[in-house]
Amino acid sequence: MHVEKKQFHTDAWPEVYASRQTRMILRWPAVAVEEHELRVKSENGDTAMEKVLCLAVARDGVKGIIPLPETGIEADRKFVARARLVQFLGQEVPFVVVGIDADAETFTGSRKQALEILSRETWASLKPGVVKTAIARRPVHRRLDDGSVKPLGFIVDLDGVEALLPVWELSHGWVDEVQDFVQPGDVFDVRVLAVDRESNRVTVSVKELVPNPWPGAVKRYVPGGYYAGTVTGVARYGIFVCLEPGVDALCRHMKGEIPRKGDLVLAVVTEVTPRDESGQVRGRVLRVLRRGS
């Protein structure tokens, strides 16, 4: 059957039609999270019109929607699903076109199908040591018994394969919050550390691609020396002061004035302990030189 295509005054529609016919993967920015009336099939095979959460993508005046079941995101609750979809806003999302509404000048896409295509190619190339380009997706935390939240790392996308970037693989130095180093949508290189195909688990590292400041740091800092550094974290057991990228001194709390994260402080080094590939610097904060913004 011949279907006449509607003519559109834009360069985006030809690639939309190409994706529909050949399953070519497109990558467009996510611009909105919306609800649309769509025909949904129930478990018994019946269909009905229902409101469905959708991720909207757009380019050159052309808009498409990716219904929640086609986003590849699983969530039992609507508010959780919406929160996860919102994290994609402003990011480029891979999808294949699965339907076109010429009269409404919109189309329907599937990120889930695009990820299935991409992941097959990615899994074939994944092995420890290789460097891949990653897209940061969302932070991962664990809630402790005392109610506090412990950062575990960041979930990153390696062309259709999700991988964990652990917090300890972000930097050679102290990491207080993963968002200080990575934000959703950031694109950067990572080195693959481990691949478990049976459980679909991949672990990656940024730290492995950054020069290690140790053990040379033990020669740059001496006990009794005074150094200026920036506070990168404040804990009950001490204050972390960044002396240089990847080298943080754990300092005792000072009396009276309490430094805040981001403050420039003066610290005296009291101990430097070298290890093979890392080390530890201890010290004491003397005073705040300048408050952080």
Side-chain angles (χ1 to χ4, degrees):
M1 181 178 66
H2 175 70
V3 179
E4 183 178 354
K5 295 180 182 178
K6 188 173 181 178
Q7 298 298 314
F8 299 99
H9 302 289
T10 176
D11 291 330
W13 277 106
E15 68 176 21
V16 171
Y17 277 106
S19 177
R20 180 70 179 92
Q21 294 172 352
T22 67
R23 290 173 58 83
M24 177 178 72
I25 295 175
L26 305 181
R27 297 176 186 270
W28 287 16
V31 296
V33 176
E34 304 170 334
E35 288 190 0
H36 289 269
E37 287 277 352
L38 301 176
R39 190 170 297 279
V40 178
K41 183 181 290 187
S42 64
E43 293 182 357
N44 60 15
D46 296 333
T47 60
M49 298 300 291
E50 295 182 11
K51 279 191 173 182
V52 179
L53 273 176
C54 298
L55 186 66
V57 295
R59 174 168 290 168
D60 297 334
V62 179
K63 180 180 177 180
I65 61 169
I66 304 175
L68 180 62
E70 294 299 327
T71 61
I73 294 174
E74 297 181 0
D76 295 332
R77 300 180 184 180
K78 191 173 183 178
F79 77 92
V80 175
R82 180 180 284 108
R84 291 184 178 177
L85 290 177
V86 166
Q87 292 181 331
F88 285 91
L89 296 182
Q91 302 183 36
E92 285 201 338
V93 177
F95 63 90
V96 294
V97 177
V98 295
I100 297 176
D101 187 339
D103 292 330
E105 299 188 8
T106 61
F107 65 85
T108 303
S110 173
R111 175 176 177 265
K112 182 178 179 180
Q113 293 185 28
L115 293 181
E116 290 173 355
I117 297 171
L118 289 170
S119 65
R120 286 195 294 269
E121 299 173 356
T122 302
W123 275 112
S125 65
L126 283 179
K127 60 181 180 180
V130 301
V131 177
K132 290 286 187 179
T133 298
I135 302 175
R137 290 306 184 195
R138 64 185 183 277
V140 182
H141 300 88
R142 175 186 296 165
R143 187 167 295 279
L144 303 179
D145 294 337
D146 60 3
S148 61
V149 175
K150 178 182 179 181
L152 295 181
F154 227 92
I155 296 297
V156 300
D157 187 307
L158 308 178
D159 253 347
V161 174
E162 285 195 343
L164 174 64
L165 172 57
V167 63
W168 55 87
E169 292 297 337
L170 281 166
S171 170
H172 291 284
W174 168 257
V175 177
D176 188 50
E177 289 289 342
V178 292
Q179 289 92 332
D180 292 340
F181 293 80
V182 182
Q183 291 292 327
D186 286 351
V187 179
F188 48 88
D189 287 341
V190 296
R191 187 182 298 279
V192 176
L193 296 181
V195 179
D196 186 341
R197 287 178 168 80
E198 291 185 0
S199 60
N200 291 333
R201 292 181 180 176
V202 181
T203 306
V204 297
S205 172
V206 170
K207 184 175 71 176
E208 288 290 317
L209 299 177
V210 180
N212 188 348
W214 297 92
V218 298
K219 301 176 182 179
R220 295 190 289 273
Y221 303 98
V222 296
Y226 287 65
Y227 304 93
T230 302
V231 176
T232 54
V234 178
R236 288 180 300 176
Y237 52 85
I239 302 167
F240 289 92
V241 178
C242 181
L243 303 178
E244 65 176 87
V247 178
D248 289 78
L250 176 57
C251 299
R252 296 198 302 270
H253 283 284
M254 58 188 295
K255 295 181 179 179
E257 190 175 21
I258 300 177
R260 299 191 300 258
K261 189 175 177 179
D263 287 352
L264 181 69
V265 298
L266 178 65
V268 57
V269 168
T270 58
E271 181 184 355
V272 180
T273 305
R275 293 199 290 268
D276 291 342
E277 292 297 329
S278 62
Q280 188 175 63
V281 179
R282 292 184 177 273
R284 185 175 73 255
V285 174
L286 300 177
R287 64 175 182 273
V288 175
L289 299 176
R290 185 173 66 246
R291 287 292 187 185
S293 56

